[in-house]
Amino acid sequence: MGCRHATVLSASADVVWNALRNFHDLSWSPNVIEKLTPVGDRGASEVGAGRILNDAFHETLRGLDDTNRCLTYSIDDGPGPLEKGKVGGYLGEVTVIPVTAPANSGQCVVLWTSKWESEEGGVQDFCDPIYNALLNDMKAHFG
């Protein structure tokens, strides 16, 4: 199972990527993220970095690819259908893609996907509004 969300931003892929690659900073999303607590001793752009969002979502940075402007993360525990034991293998991926036509438009597309395994269901209904709100905040912040 999984979900897929995207938005077009009026900012360059480099500007957006430089903000998103910092796993310990979601200040661009003030309407969704009220609190971010770094966990562990890994730096914000090191694989293995951990964070807790809003005292509820426990996440770990699993991959960071500067060449392809892509990061992957796991949700290790969370509220409702994301609770440990109810969902497994939750992996999110955020990719920043430059818009190439028209050339030098200064725009990019952010693609946010996720996949998971769950016998109980309800994960997509729970997560879709969150991803939409994150992308709306991103659009407000970056243009």
Side-chain angles (χ1 to χ4, degrees):
M1 292 180 232
C3 57
R4 184 178 191 92
H5 300 274
T7 192
V8 177
L9 302 177
S10 295
S12 75
D14 287 337
V15 166
V16 174
W17 176 245
N18 284 334
L20 297 184
R21 71 183 305 281
N22 182 344
F23 198 64
H24 292 157
D25 182 13
L26 290 171
S27 60
W28 51 265
S29 185
N31 296 307
V32 179
I33 306 303
E34 297 172 2
K35 182 178 180 184
L36 187 153
T37 306
V39 176
D41 59 358
R42 300 286 174 99
S45 298
E46 289 182 71
V47 172
R51 67 185 180 195
I52 301 172
L53 304 177
N54 297 340
D55 292 326
F57 296 87
H58 299 252
E59 300 180 342
T60 304
L61 183 63
R62 299 293 176 186
L64 186 73
D65 180 347
D66 284 320
T67 302
N68 294 304
R69 295 183 192 94
C70 179
L71 68 84
T72 55
Y73 65 95
S74 61
I75 297 181
D76 309 312
D77 196 4
L82 296 176
E83 186 177 310
K84 196 173 198 166
K86 289 185 179 180
V87 67
Y90 194 105
L91 193 63
E93 182 174 279
V94 182
T95 305
V96 181
I97 305 161
V99 172
T100 57
N104 302 317
S105 70
Q107 295 180 310
C108 67
V109 174
V110 175
L111 176 62
W112 202 318
T113 62
S114 58
K115 60 183 178 180
W116 61 86
E117 299 167 6
S118 174
E119 297 292 324
E120 297 185 28
V123 177
Q124 185 167 355
D125 289 339
F126 183 81
C127 290
D128 276 349
I130 297 170
Y131 288 123
N132 285 329
L134 286 163
L135 290 176
N136 285 335
D137 272 0
M138 194 179 290
K139 193 153 187 76
H141 181 82
F142 293 105

